[in-house]
Amino acid sequence: MDRGIQSVLHLDKIVFDTIEFKRVGFSSDKELELEIQSNVAQRQDAEVYKITLTLKGNKPEEYFFEISLTGFFTIEEDDTVTKELKDALITKNAVAILMPYLRSEVSLLTAQPGMECVVLPAFNINRMFEKK
C-alpha cells in the first residue's frame, strides 16, 4: 500500500467487554433512549492506546441493553505526527473506526422475534467530543 495514504493509526485488536440485554415487557411505543460514552487510556511510555466505547440503550417498558467494546490501537513513530494530530487520531478517528462494530452489534442484538431491529444512525464524532 502507498505509504503516503496509509494511516499511522493501526487497530491491533478489538474485543467486546459487555453484551447485556434485558427484556422488561413487550412492544412499546416509547422512544429508544441512547447514551454513549468513550474512555481513552495510553500505555505509559508507548504509543499504545486502549479506547473503550459503551452504549446504553433503554426502550421504556420493553428492553434495555448495554454494549461495551474496546479497541487496542498503536500509532507508528513518525516525525511529522504532532501531539495535536495524535490526540485527534485517538479521540476521533479511533472512535470512528470502532463505531461500525458497535452499530452492527446493536442491530444483531435487537433483530429478534417480536422486536423492531435498531439500526444506529451515523454519529457526528466531532460534535460528540465538543460536548465533552
Side-chain angles (χ1 to χ4, degrees):
M1 179 182 278
D2 180 3
R3 295 291 299 161
I5 62 171
Q6 187 175 358
S7 177
V8 294
L9 178 68
H10 299 280
L11 173 60
D12 299 320
K13 185 186 333 180
I14 184 172
V15 296
F16 281 90
D17 304 304
T18 304
I19 301 174
E20 181 181 351
F21 180 88
K22 175 89 172 166
R23 179 180 289 280
V24 293
F26 293 102
S27 187
S28 166
D29 291 336
K30 307 273 176 143
E31 283 289 315
L32 175 62
E33 303 160 358
L34 297 173
E35 176 188 339
I36 189 164
Q37 300 171 337
S38 64
N39 184 48
V40 177
Q42 181 180 3
R43 185 180 299 162
Q44 193 170 350
D45 300 325
E47 294 300 323
V48 178
Y49 299 85
K50 175 182 167 185
I51 291 82
T52 301
L53 288 182
T54 302
L55 178 68
K56 295 178 183 179
N58 180 31
K59 189 163 186 191
E61 301 174 15
E62 188 172 346
Y63 63 81
F64 67 86
F65 65 81
E66 180 176 339
I67 301 170
S68 177
L69 73 153
T70 299
F72 297 89
F73 292 84
T74 53
I75 295 181
E76 279 182 34
E77 292 295 324
D78 186 328
D79 294 337
T80 64
V81 179
T82 64
K83 177 168 177 14
E84 292 79 22
L85 179 56
K86 284 181 188 178
D87 290 345
L89 286 171
I90 290 302
T91 59
K92 296 177 182 173
N93 291 32
V95 170
I97 289 168
L98 294 175
M99 288 304 290
Y101 296 97
L102 185 63
R103 184 176 289 111
S104 175
E105 191 60 36
V106 169
S107 294
L108 287 170
L109 199 58
T110 59
Q112 305 301 319
M115 293 182 63
E116 186 176 322
C117 180
V118 175
V119 178
L120 294 178
F123 289 97
N124 183 332
I125 304 298
N126 290 323
R127 181 151 301 143
M128 226 171 80
F129 284 99
E130 285 172 5
K131 290 183 178 182
K132 282 190 168 188

